[in-house]
Structures are given as structure tokens and as C-alpha cells.
Amino acid sequence: MQLKLSPSMRSITISSMSSSCNGGSVNNINNNNNGGIGIANNNNNNNSNSNCIVDLMKVKVAARHISYRTLFHTILILAFLLPFVFILTALVTLEGFNNCSSLDCLGRRFGPRLLGRDDSGRLVRDFYKILNQVNAEEIPHGLKLPGSFNQLVSDMKHNRYDPKTFGLILKGTMEKLEKEVREAKFAELMNKHFAASSIPKGIHCLSLRLTDEYSSNAHARKQLPPPELLPLLSDNSMYHFVVSTDNILAASVVVSSAVQSSLTPEKIVFHVITDKKTYAGMHSWFALNPVSPALVEVKGVHQFDWLTRENVPVLEAIESHNGIRNYYHGNHVAGANLSETTPRGRESVLVGLKVYSCLFCTRLFTLALPVALRVKLFPNLDKVVFLDDDIVIQRDLSPLWDIDLQGKVNGAVETCKGEDEWVMSKHFKNYFNFSHPLIAQNLNPAECAWAYGMNIFDLRAWRRTSIRDTYHFWLKENLKSNLTMWKLGTLPPALIAFKGHVHSIDPSWHMLGLGYQNNTNIESVKKAAVIHYNAQCVKQKADSDSARFPQYGSYTS
């Protein structure tokens, strides 16, 4: 038997030889029309001369055809899948991704969904990429910005924004809202400034009437204190208090509350320092309303012949800085670029209004207080207590003179060890601009701050220091930097000048924050020797604390 395969592998031939020689037959196995196998027998009678019979069998492999059943299933599956493919393609086109035409791009978009994977990480990265691209571009002129979030969603739904346009609209909307917030904060600060600096009609009339009394009433002009008591002004056995103010009623509250709370009022001496404008009214008040047995001395800054540029260099620095003077004396509100004004800059504007609008008033004298105390003002005194004009004294302060300051100059309450974020959690970082290289090189942002308002000054220790030079150096540097080194006011430069010269005293001596502290503890108020109404505006003080603690407003009624 022989087996032969055709080169095309489409047929097989089988041949065999029998033992008889009468003839042979050939069997052909062929495909029929039905895909089966057919066998054909051919008798070969022409091989009579042969001695044997050869049997041939030829097998053809049937051709493969797709059955109707397979075709039906295929059409059914395609009919089920094609609508989904059409819907997904339509969604991609409507969402603006019609540029994504490559199979790789479509695979990246549809693949994770078909496989059940979350593609949010890729979407977030794409969103960041768009935002970074938009951040470096300018907002196109005339770009319509929505007024609310609902309007933004509605515009996106109807206008079919591409990602870049959406990013630009988002950036423009944020900048628009930021500008509106800055303008609102600036308006709020301006209103607070006007409320705090304006003088009620009654107080203004009181000052005018007292000034008139000074010119027409001899008793209002009498010497304070009487000549026979003048030596007590430099007697170190007395308790000397210093108040610098141009508010007559405020000075009256401080002096009256100190005398009423003292166990030894006969040993109290008050040195009230005011400006030239208020001097006559202030003198008349204490001359016509004595607080015996305590002594009161009223001085005006115009009476200090030593208050000159030579002794107080900061006066020359302030006056010579014409750009700052013109800015604060001009139309600061109309000329202010609110879109570029930082919160620190807005606060500088407001405080600058106060400082430069009364260049030679008592606040300026407070700036000159370091040199005044050391050099000329109290050359014979060893210790004084400085009081602000917005405090009320509830306890005898004579024990302050017994506190050992351990060689330090300034005894003050530290404001970094409390839980109240507004008052008792202040560090240098809350007052200074540490992006300024000079500040960053010389100060520690975590250093504890301390409070003005009630301070014990050891003048003997002060005279051995260079606080005066340090104070004026930093004031001049701040002026050179366009007042950007710290929040304007009297405290920040004092924090630098007294750095390393402050002795911490018990917080019960001086309680700050009345007027804006939301969680004032009534027990702490009762225990405090001095309560400090250091809110930003007068109305806040009255509404926030006087209404809640009416018993502590008796000195002002």
C-alpha cells in the first residue's frame, strides 16, 4: 500500500496491489456537493497483460464553509455592540474630544471603562496640566465671566467650552472674586478707621468748652501740681504712671480708675502727656476735676524743647520721606490700586492715615518715647509704669514696683502662651514681614511677642542699653522699604528694640482683647488688674463688652 499527499494538501491517494492478475480497480473518493466523500470505482480492463491488480483510492479533503448558525450569532452580537460604540463615539464628540481620533487615544479613554478600572487619576493630572498652562497666560480681553457657579455650569452646558477656555474662565472668575473681596475688606477697614478716629459730637464739644474755660477761667489754668508738691514729681518713693493720649475722657478713666483701685492713692503721680491741640482742654479738665490725694501733671509735646531731629532722628526721617507723606495726605482711596493691594498694604494705608495725619500728635510722641524716657523726660526716676489710654484699672498696682525685672528693661505680659488665637497667641511672625531679607536675617518668627498697654520700665537698666539707637535704626530701615517690613504701629519697632530686654510678668496683671475677643471669661475679667479695650474701633468695644459687662463701664459713665 502506498499513501500519497498532494502538494496542496487538498487530496490523499491510496494505492494497493492484489495477488490476482485478472484486472484491477481504482477507487476514487471525491467530495460531493453536500460536503461528503464520494467513492468512484473504475475497472481497468486494459491491463490484461499485467500480472497483478492495482487498487487506487483518492481522498479529497472537504472545503470549510461558515454555517448559517454561526453567521446568525455573529450578526446578533454585532447588533448588540454597535449601538454602544455609536453612543460612546457621539459622547466623545459632544464633549469636545473630537481631536482624539487615534486608536491609542480612544483606547486610553474607553479601555479603563470597559475593563472596569478607575481613570480619575489621569483626569486629575490632565486637569492640573490645563491649569498650569492657563496660569501662565493672560485673561483675554472681553472674556465673559459668570457671576455665579450656577451660571458657570449653565454656560459650559450650552457653549461646550474646550478645556483651555474653561481654565481661562475659571482663572478670570477667581481673580474677579478676589478683587471684590479685597475691595470689601478695604471698605471695611476704612469704615472701622473712620469709626475709631472720629470724635463724637459730645466729646468734641467738651474739648472746645474746656479749651474756652482754659482761656477765660483762672482756675482752669492753675499750676498742676501745686508748686509746693513739685518735688514729688521726681520722688522715687512715689508710684509714677505715664499716660500718653489726646483723649480727655480716656485719660480721665485711666486716672480715676487707678486712684479708686489703689490702697495708697496719696502715693500716686500721673504724668499725662498730650499734643498742643488738646493741651488746654486736658489741663482744664484735671485742674477743675482734681483726683486728690493723687497728683496729676499735664504736659504738651510742644513744651519739650529737646524733642528735635537731633534727639529724635526718626522725626527727620519721617518728614523727609515726601513720597510717603504725599501718599497719605493725598486721595489715597481713589488712587489705591485695590487689585494689587495686599492685606498688609491695606493695613499700612489705614495705620499710615492715623500716623501721618497727626505727625506731631501724641502717637508720634509714643514713637519717640524710648529716647524720651532714657534721655530727657524722667532723668531722676528709676521706675515708671506706662499705661495706654484704652484701659481700666481694677486692682492696686503698687505691687508692680516690687517686681524684680532681673536686670531687664521692660516688664510686660507675653502674648504667645494663650489659647485665644486673636490675642494670646502672637509671635513675631504675626507682626513682621519675613519675606524681607533684613527681617529674615535678624529675627526669629517663632519668638514670643509681648503687649503694650501696661508696661513696667526700669529706667536705670534702660540707660545702660542701646535701645534708642536700635529703635531709630529699624524705623529708618522700614521707611526706606516703603513701610513693608512690619505692620505699622508702635508695637513692632518696640518688639525689635526691646529684644532681649523683656521680663515676663503674670498675665493677670494685664488682660487684653476686650472689644473683639469672642470668648471672654468673666472670671478672668474679675481677676485682672488691668483690662484693655484694644479693639479696632470704638463701636466694637461698646457693643461687644460694655453690653455684656456693664459693671465694668462705671468709670466712663
Side-chain angles (χ1 to χ4, degrees), residues 384-428:
V384 297
V385 171
F386 175 81
L387 299 175
D388 214 340
D389 63 354
D390 52 358
I391 67 166
V392 175
I393 300 169
Q394 304 185 123
R395 215 169 66 203
D396 181 32
L397 299 184
S398 59
L400 291 175
W401 273 259
D402 299 327
I403 295 178
D404 183 9
L405 299 183
Q406 300 178 2
K408 305 294 184 179
V409 174
N410 181 7
V413 171
E414 292 184 333
T415 57
C416 65
K417 298 179 179 179
E419 298 180 356
D420 181 23
E421 61 178 351
W422 292 102
V423 181
M424 299 302 293
S425 58
K426 301 294 186 182
H427 298 79
F428 275 26

Side-chain angles (χ1 to χ4, degrees), residues 167-178:
L168 290 172
I169 291 177
L170 184 62
K171 179 182 178 181
T173 303
M174 292 295 296
E175 291 182 352
K176 173 186 174 183
L177 294 177
E178 288 177 358

